[in-house]
Amino acid sequence: MNWIGKWRNQYGSIVEIIDDANGKLAGMFRTALPDSAFYGQDVRISGIHQGNCVCFAAAGQGPAGDVIVSYTGMIREGRMETLWFVVADAALTASAAGEPAAVKKLNWWRSMTTSADTFKRVS
């Protein structure tokens, strides 16, 4: 399986894989979602692959602090079908409507978000 290329998900976010040698992946991720902690950034990805199976992750900082996203999935019918997890160390919260937000550390169970994305190769 050749993983090198640009892959776009259903929201317009892009994963660009620039190296897939020796079972490893390297590249970058750029989200299209303005409410993502990574919005406006190109974050480096690294990962592994075996046959049609793939896993990669990115880490960075958002407005509230440290964030990591990991994707695990496989190729089916030319699409990269993935499940993802985001872990965020903190969130911006306000004590009441109209009050300024402040960074608040999250309990571990509150810091996790998960969903699924389908990426299609665009180049």
Side-chain angles (χ1 to χ4, degrees):
M1 173 69 203
N2 175 8
W3 295 94
I4 294 174
K6 286 187 180 179
W7 301 77
R8 182 178 12 242
N9 73 10
Q10 68 272 25
Y11 303 109
S13 300
I14 298 287
V15 169
E16 183 174 9
I17 299 172
I18 60 172
D19 188 8
D20 67 356
N22 302 315
K24 297 178 183 177
L25 296 175
M28 74 86 176
F29 173 72
R30 184 182 240 337
T31 184
L33 300 175
D35 62 347
S36 168
F38 294 127
Y39 188 71
Q41 303 175 50
D42 289 335
V43 290
R44 183 176 54 89
I45 65 161
S46 61
I48 56 174
H49 65 89
Q50 178 65 45
N52 288 331
C53 300
V54 65
C55 180
F56 57 90
Q61 286 195 324
D66 299 329
V67 181
I68 292 177
V69 61
S70 63
Y71 290 85
T72 301
M74 61 177 42
I75 294 293
R76 285 295 182 258
E77 299 176 4
R79 295 184 308 266
M80 186 184 342
E81 304 285 357
T82 65
L83 293 177
W84 55 260
F85 289 91
V86 170
V87 60
D89 184 48
L92 291 172
T93 61
S95 59
E99 294 294 317
V103 174
K104 179 181 176 186
K105 293 283 187 182
L106 296 171
N107 291 323
W108 79 265
W109 54 270
R110 178 68 72 190
S111 68
M112 302 297 287
T113 307
T114 187
S115 192
D117 279 347
T118 297
F119 290 87
K120 294 180 182 177
R121 191 189 302 263
V122 294
S123 70

